[in-house]
Amino acid sequence: GKPIIALTPEEIFSVQNAVMNSSKLERVLDLFNFGLMCGLRFCDLQKLGPHHIQNGRIILRMGKTGAEVKLKITAPMKLILDKYENVLPQISNQKANLYLREIFTKLDLTRKVVISIEKIDGIIDTIEQLNKVISFHKARKTFITNALRQGIPESIVKQLSGHKSDEAFKKYIGYVNEDLDDAMDMLSKH
């Protein structure tokens, strides 16, 4: 399958502690950081409103699958929600991704990543810099991947991310299994 691009813990730290000198970049950074913390798709971040916030939770029917998610609002999530009075910054996905690439360039997050491009004659893998291919969907992928890496059971991660089918979720398991293989390789060297 297509390789999953998820941020490393160091990259997450860099993004979560970044300070932008422009309000448009700050708003996009806040939106991305919120996505890193909750795993919602961009379309769901955009429709999130005060009526979705009840008793310290986000209760939302996801646009793509129709699955209902009930996410506890953590302290860092609450800071962002409070800043924007429970309505996250509104922006087009295309513009948001463009600004996100600008942010990642400013932060020098240029790790090489493999991306797969579907062509008529099959899938071609190419190497790109993270700052050139970063998108809001990577926040969701990072949230799911990190939850699995931290040992949170698959069934819980599926509920948090609103995945209805095992098929769509399976790719994350394979990715985390590669981490386990790498860990075994490292352990065998000592």
Side-chain angles (χ1 to χ4, degrees):
K2 289 175 105 175
I4 289 178
I5 300 170
L7 302 187
T8 65
E10 297 79 20
E11 289 163 344
I12 294 168
F13 182 83
S14 182
V15 168
Q16 287 180 333
N17 291 285
V19 176
M20 291 293 119
N21 57 2
S22 124
S23 65
K24 73 177 182 192
L25 294 183
E26 181 183 341
R27 287 192 307 272
V28 169
L29 184 62
D30 286 342
L31 196 56
F32 188 76
N33 276 322
F34 197 85
L36 282 174
M37 292 183 261
C38 69
L40 290 174
R41 290 179 181 85
F42 184 81
C43 62
D44 294 320
L45 291 172
Q46 290 295 283
K47 79 176 185 188
L48 182 66
H51 59 286
H52 294 111
I53 297 166
Q54 300 164 24
N55 303 323
R57 297 190 179 286
I58 292 171
I59 300 172
L60 180 78
R61 189 159 302 284
M62 300 191 91
K64 185 175 177 184
T65 62
E68 187 178 68
V69 290
K70 294 178 180 174
L71 305 170
K72 178 183 178 191
I73 297 171
T74 62
M77 288 167 68
K78 186 168 175 10
L79 284 174
I80 293 174
L81 287 170
D82 288 350
K83 181 177 178 177
Y84 297 102
E85 298 175 357
N86 294 338
V87 179
L88 295 172
Q90 299 295 298
I91 185 171
S92 75
N93 197 345
Q94 188 176 4
K95 203 56 124 187
N97 286 333
L98 194 68
Y99 293 153
L100 197 55
R101 291 181 184 123
E102 189 178 330
I103 291 165
F104 272 60
T105 300
K106 283 181 187 290
L107 298 176
D108 198 32
L109 297 176
T110 57
R111 166 174 59 101
K112 302 264 189 251
V113 293
V114 177
I115 62 163
S116 297
I117 301 168
E118 291 185 40
K119 299 277 186 184
I120 294 168
D121 52 351
I123 293 175
I124 298 170
D125 286 344
T126 62
I127 308 281
E128 289 286 346
Q129 288 180 285
L130 181 61
N131 61 316
K132 302 238 192 299
V133 297
I134 190 65
S135 68
F136 264 82
H137 203 63
K138 308 292 186 284
R140 179 171 169 77
K141 290 179 185 299
T142 299
F143 173 83
I144 294 166
T145 302
N146 281 343
L148 292 168
R149 281 180 176 155
Q150 290 175 29
I152 296 171
E154 291 172 29
S155 60
I156 305 260
V157 178
K158 260 179 73 175
Q159 281 184 301
L160 291 173
S161 64
H163 275 93
K164 277 188 159 179
S165 77
D166 288 335
E167 194 57 40
F169 192 75
K170 210 167 46 181
K171 62 187 174 200
Y172 294 101
I173 308 305
Y175 185 71
V176 174
N177 286 342
E178 287 173 28
D179 287 350
L180 298 175
D181 292 349
D182 292 346
M184 286 302 292
D185 289 341
M186 285 193 292
L187 288 168
S188 70
K189 291 176 184 164
H190 297 294

